[in-house]
Amino acid sequence: MTGRAVVTGVGHYLPDRVVPNSEFEATLDTTDEWIRSRSGIERRHFAAEGETTSDLASHAARAALTDAGIGVDDLDAIIVATSTPDLTFPSVATMVQAELGMTHGFAFDLQAVCAGFVYALANANALIVSGQAKRVMVIGAETFSRIMDWSDRSTCVLFGDGAGALVLEAREGEGTAADQGILAMDLNSDGRFRDLLYVDGGVSTQQTGKLRMQGNQVFRHAVEKLTATAETTLDRAGLTGDDVDWVVPHQANIRIIQGTARRMGLSMDKVVVTVQDHGNTSAASIPLALSVGKQRGQIKPGDLIVTEAIGGGLAWGAVVLRW
Ligand code: UT7
């Protein structure tokens, strides 16, 4: 028998305000057509004034608890992947813990930018298979609208706000790729590329920062590195592309998603795509896509799923799991 971390609940939350591409035409030298054709994005959600990452995360967490059919007392830990916390500290995770009324266990944030959810899944899996926690809430939540330079058309049209959450639970498996739960993962980073995507300020530099990106450079790394990490992870699980039911990629750009699927030899019919409706929500994009994919009836119990993401650092990775 092998300990496995199995998904037993999923949920998401998107702020009410929907911003179509056309809204940017009034203030920037851009068009709906350019944004759609270069990124696949049609609209995104922005948090209301005063609405914070922990608010979004708490809504998503409640939805995931309901979906799992458990209460907050059943959780042992909360991990929040975010690069846009409410405050420098305490963590968003402890704010969610308090909001949910959870007075036991432990909660912490993890920051790996757009790869944050993949890193958080790997950490939750480690806690579960080592016996340190039985049920872990893993959340990706972001308010990237707060770090946009609204005069930079090459970045501010691409990002959005939102949150998604999974409940992972310890179960016994046979130790084969037929098991439910997380089967394999692959994490990478290379800080030599840190200038390709970063925020030009923070607490230690005493500046208020905005997101800066050399988009076409990140694009080039993305397709190559995402394909490699997805294939490495499948190989570790003893599987191939033929076994995949759904790729649930980080939703940054439809052309990256299509390019990666093509290189993996997979049809776009096997890819969950939400980028048109959410834009790039960084660490929130994968759990949002998992939740929407389940709602749409795409993802079903027993499906073999590959998630992959890349972002600032550069940091990237993949997780293979059976739903
Ligand atoms: O989540 C973290 C990972 N991030 C990503 O994966 C993002 C990766 N990169 C991308 O998605 C794409 O590179 C972008 C969507 C950011 C840009 O697409 P691109 O095809 O790589 O375009 P580009 O950056 O090479 O720019 C092409 C042209 C430039 O004009 P010139 O220099 O050719 O005259 C830009 O100034 O498009 C211009 N441009 C725009 N034009 C109209 C850039 N942004 C805009 C805009 N509207 N919003």
Side-chain angles (χ1 to χ4, degrees), residues 29-30 34 38-39 114 153-154 157-158 197 213 215-216 218-219 250 252-253 255-256 280 310-311:
D29 180 15
T30 192
W34 190 96
R38 303 314 294 166
S39 72
C114 298
R153 67 178 182 171
S154 72
V157 301
L158 301 175
L197 175 50
M213 177 167 70
N216 48 12
V218 176
F219 191 107
H250 172 46
N253 186 316
R255 293 185 296 133
I256 294 175
N280 183 346
I310 186 166

Side-chain angles (χ1 to χ4, degrees), residues 18-277:
V18 179
V19 176
N21 291 344
S22 55
E23 251 192 67
F24 293 104
E25 293 176 349
T27 53
L28 291 169
D29 180 15
T30 192
T31 58
D32 171 47
E33 203 283 327
W34 190 96
I35 301 168
R36 267 175 208 256
S37 63
R38 303 314 294 166
S39 72
I41 298 165
E42 297 173 21
R43 60 194 70 81
R44 75 286 291 140
H45 294 246
F46 284 155
E49 211 183 312
E51 196 173 29
T52 63
T53 296
S54 71
D55 296 329
L56 273 48
S58 298
H59 285 299
R62 284 191 194 283
L65 281 176
T66 303
D67 190 51
I70 61 169
V72 72
D73 292 343
D74 300 313
L75 290 177
D76 299 318
I78 299 173
I79 305 175
V80 177
T82 188
S83 305
T84 47
D86 301 26
L87 302 174
T88 302
F89 69 79
S91 64
V92 171
T94 54
M95 295 180 185
V96 172
Q97 187 187 25
E99 173 60 29
L100 295 179
M102 179 177 164
T103 54
H104 65 279
F106 60 97
F108 64 96
D109 287 359
L110 180 156
Q111 200 262 64
V113 207
C114 298
F117 197 76
V118 166
Y119 274 62
L121 281 180
N123 275 273
N125 184 66
L127 289 170
I128 286 173
V129 300
S130 65
Q132 291 179 82
K134 258 199 153 99
R135 287 197 196 89
V136 183
M137 174 73 74
V138 189
I139 305 170
E142 303 278 17
T143 46
F144 261 53
S145 63
R146 309 307 196 221
I147 51 168
M148 290 298 110
D149 173 350
W150 299 112
S151 67
D152 178 6
R153 67 178 182 171
S154 72
T155 54
C156 73
V157 301
L158 301 175
F159 292 87
D161 302 338
L166 296 187
V167 175
L168 289 177
E169 186 172 320
R171 297 265 173 88
E172 289 294 324
E174 300 294 327
T176 72
D179 287 350
Q180 264 193 309
I182 293 177
L183 300 175
M185 70 219 68
D186 177 52
L187 303 181
N188 309 271
S189 65
D190 190 339
R192 288 176 301 169
F193 300 119
R194 65 188 181 198
D195 292 340
L196 298 185
L197 175 50
Y198 65 102
V199 172
D200 59 1
V203 180
S204 185
T205 53
Q206 298 276 291
Q207 295 171 44
T208 307
K210 299 292 177 204
L211 182 143
R212 308 293 171 201
M213 177 167 70
Q214 294 178 43
N216 48 12
Q217 298 291 325
V218 176
F219 191 107
R220 218 166 299 149
H221 284 283
V223 176
E224 181 195 312
K225 289 181 165 52
L226 291 174
T227 306
T229 190
E231 288 181 341
T232 297
T233 315
L234 279 169
D235 195 48
R236 279 183 191 161
L239 299 165
T240 70
D242 292 343
D243 299 304
V244 174
D245 292 301
W246 293 106
V247 180
V248 184
H250 172 46
Q251 311 280 324
N253 186 316
I254 190 67
R255 293 185 296 133
I256 294 175
I257 295 170
Q258 289 164 339
T260 307
R262 201 178 310 121
R263 280 207 191 190
M264 290 178 70
L266 293 175
S267 146
M268 282 300 289
D269 295 345
K270 292 194 163 191
V271 184
V272 175
V273 179
T274 57
V275 68
Q276 69 282 1
D277 297 324

